[in-house]
Amino acid sequence: MRKNQSVSTSRAWPLAGLVAGFAGLAVSYSLAMVMTIRDSPVVAVAELVVRLTPGPAVEGAIKFLGRADKPFLVVVILVLSAAVFAWTGLLARRTWWRSVIVYAVLAAIGGVAVWVQRGATALDALPVAAGFATWLICLSLLTEPLRRHERALAAAPATDTGPGSGPGSGSAGHTRRTFLLRVGVLVGAGATLGVVGRAIGRSRRHVEATRRLLRLPGVSRPVPPPDVRVGVPEMTPWMTPTETFYRIDTAFVVPAIEPADWTLRIHGMVDREVVVTYQELVDQALTEAWVTLNCVSNEVGGNLIGNAWWSGVRIAGLLRAAGVHEGADAVLQTSEDGWTCGTPLSVLTDERDAMLAVAMNGSPLPIEHGFPVRTIVPGLYGYVSACKWVVDLEVTRFADIEAYWTSKGWSELGPVKLASRIDVPRDGGEVPSGGAQVAGVAWAQHTGIDAVEISVDGGSWVPARLAGVPSADTWVQWVATVDLDPGDHTVSVRATDADGLVQTGEVRDVLPDGATGWHTIELTAVEPEEPDASEETQEEDG
Ligand SMILES: Nc1nc2c(c(=O)[nH]1)N[C@H]1C(S)=C(S)[C@@H](COP(=O)(O)O)O[C@H]1N2
Ligand SMILES: [Mo]
């Protein structure tokens, strides 16, 4: 009897490891799908392996195994993981921390694989972290009854071997039931998570495929005007690449909308309700413009701002077709996921390029940035204008509405505030004493920037040189040369807009309608090193 039970527990330990291991993978996988991260950690590892494997080795593997593609690799990784997971269960039998080390190593591999993917952010590591936490929790949940059982056996070897006792009876039976119950619950929960994650991932993948195949004839490639760059090395690009464009939304699961399923309803204080399909929208003449979008939550010097080439349909025409009633002063925009914002009617109907954008930087909008249609309004913060996944425009009055952020204490109106930022050098950086270049961006969308000045160590303001802009709706790059003595310095920047308004130095928080204050950085000027012989030769060679 006793022998039997010890045999059954020795099988239970690797089983515990296996179940805990796959529960962790299920959590990380479904979280990656729900967060719409491109690949689950396991797939990221497979990609990394492909990337690190030299070509000849891949060919050899294909010859030997018949194939060596990514899905196959994923299966190989899962099988190897199963072995390691079973082993963690065995390790846990002796000392729990050995299995923790194995989990940490696995998580590190997954973390690195996710991290080296293009455009990865800290958030992309969350599934790995959640998987790691799941491993620890599940393994301790599963091994606790086993440990209790073994302790009971060791303390009173006779209890369970007496007459009438056996598997399923007494305390041994109890711990066995606890163990099996927990195994069952975790297997069920893991499988459910996996299935749900897969369903979400699949519908998103389908939309992604549609998006990739979309051809929008009216959309042109982004070509920044030739004069927009100051030409300083390390400078932020004037056109923000789509992959690094900041992203802000309240969506935990980003809406995945098939263009064929999308319609926009325009209603409220209008003569006739209008419903537009995606095809009807993109069949209209498209407007294209460079517009800098920024977030009201951008701190002074922050990077919640980006400049892109947007293609879309002017909202003014659509509103005209609906026939806006007198007395209306707002449009309540609603997204597919129920987010709302209130936008002044005036900015949607004046001469500016307020549009229902279908493309960003020459390609259909990425799903995260509002596919298939989002609003772009030059001159307003995103929270009052740039509705992603927009499906409903209600012409109304501000007095009659409350939008998502205004109900949480943010201002009803959100015109962008005049601001400027130092990008080069980085805060805390080093520059050569004597002449050093300081450069950055300034913006006052739809008003325009007339001047940028910098001040060193709180001294007088000296003008910077401005690069060109295609319109008043984008940020402008600026550069100045400063003559610094060796040592620590501060540099501040301020801009003047086209109306003559000088950027205020008054420091205010982002709540309720955007931060103010001058961006100030610290830097250290150091004596330039004497050029050494090798550099001189290089110069001569060049
Ligand atoms: N549906 C929806 N649209 C939204 C938001 C949101 O949470 N949900 N956030 C807004 C905010 S606060 C900003 S700053 C911009 C950001 O747009 P981006 O993520 O494309 O940069 O989207 C706006 N549109
Ligand atoms: Mo925002």
Side-chain angles (χ1 to χ4, degrees), residues 360-385:
M360 175 181 188
N361 290 336
S363 301
L365 294 174
I367 295 176
E368 287 75 15
H369 291 290
F371 185 77
V373 182
R374 64 103 45 97
T375 311
I376 289 292
V377 182
L380 265 56
Y381 287 122
Y383 84 106
V384 289
S385 67

Side-chain angles (χ1 to χ4, degrees), residues 98-407:
R98 286 172 199 264
S99 43
V100 176
I101 291 176
V102 176
Y103 286 148
V105 170
L106 291 178
I109 294 171
V112 167
V114 168
W115 191 246
V116 297
Q117 290 198 313
R118 203 164 61 98
T121 67
L123 214 57
D124 293 352
L126 201 63
V128 175
F132 180 69
T134 309
W135 281 336
L136 300 184
I137 294 166
C138 291
L139 191 69
S140 68
L141 270 178
L142 291 174
T143 54
E144 178 266 335
L146 298 179
R147 218 177 289 284
R148 189 152 30 100
H149 177 69
E150 291 200 342
R151 225 177 283 131
L153 281 184
T159 17
D160 286 334
T161 52
S165 82
S169 74
S171 89
H174 178 70
T175 48
R176 184 195 172 92
R177 270 194 305 278
T178 309
F179 175 72
L180 290 178
L181 184 70
R182 288 183 184 179
V183 165
V185 167
L186 289 183
V187 168
T192 309
L193 267 181
V195 168
V196 169
R198 196 175 140 88
I200 290 173
R202 188 185 287 164
S203 74
R204 183 197 151 90
R205 250 184 279 279
H206 195 270
V207 171
E208 188 56 45
T210 317
R211 192 188 88 84
R212 258 201 305 276
L213 294 174
L214 261 186
R215 291 291 167 267
L216 301 171
V219 173
S220 67
R221 297 196 40 72
V223 182
D227 62 342
V228 293
R229 300 181 181 94
V230 285
V232 173
E234 315 275 289
M235 182 59 189
T236 320
W238 183 80
M239 170 183 134
T240 311
T242 303
E243 301 80 56
T244 53
F245 203 98
Y246 82 95
R247 177 186 158 200
I248 297 279
D249 53 65
T250 57
F252 188 61
V253 179
V254 174
I257 309 167
E258 295 288 344
D261 297 338
W262 181 90
T263 56
L264 174 74
R265 176 170 170 241
I266 303 174
H267 63 111
M269 297 172 68
V270 293
D271 294 336
R272 50 205 155 267
E273 189 172 315
V274 175
V275 176
V276 195
T277 66
Y278 185 75
Q279 199 55 50
E280 285 165 358
L281 189 76
V282 295
D283 282 347
Q284 303 193 25
L286 296 191
T287 291
E288 300 193 287
W290 291 102
V291 179
T292 299
L293 176 66
N294 55 328
C295 183
V296 68
S297 298
N298 197 28
E299 311 269 348
V300 171
N303 56 11
L304 298 180
I305 178 165
N307 184 44
W309 175 243
W310 305 95
S311 314
V313 173
R314 286 177 55 88
I315 296 173
L318 293 166
L319 289 176
R320 211 174 311 118
V324 171
H325 290 176
E326 192 121 349
D329 64 1
V331 172
L332 182 67
Q333 306 189 52
T334 306
S335 72
E336 159 83 13
D337 65 329
W339 184 84
T340 54
C341 69
T343 312
L345 187 62
S346 57
V347 302
L348 298 177
T349 49
D350 68 12
E351 89 309 335
R352 80 186 74 196
D353 292 319
M355 63 170 108
L356 293 169
V358 294
M360 175 181 188
N361 290 336
S363 301
L365 294 174
I367 295 176
E368 287 75 15
H369 291 290
F371 185 77
V373 182
R374 64 103 45 97
T375 311
I376 289 292
V377 182
L380 265 56
Y381 287 122
Y383 84 106
V384 289
S385 67
C387 190
K388 305 195 272 189
W389 316 291
V390 62
V391 292
D392 191 292
L393 300 181
E394 182 189 354
V395 179
T396 178
R397 276 186 286 250
F398 273 116
D400 299 337
I401 57 167
E402 193 157 72
Y404 187 90
W405 285 115
T406 47
S407 70

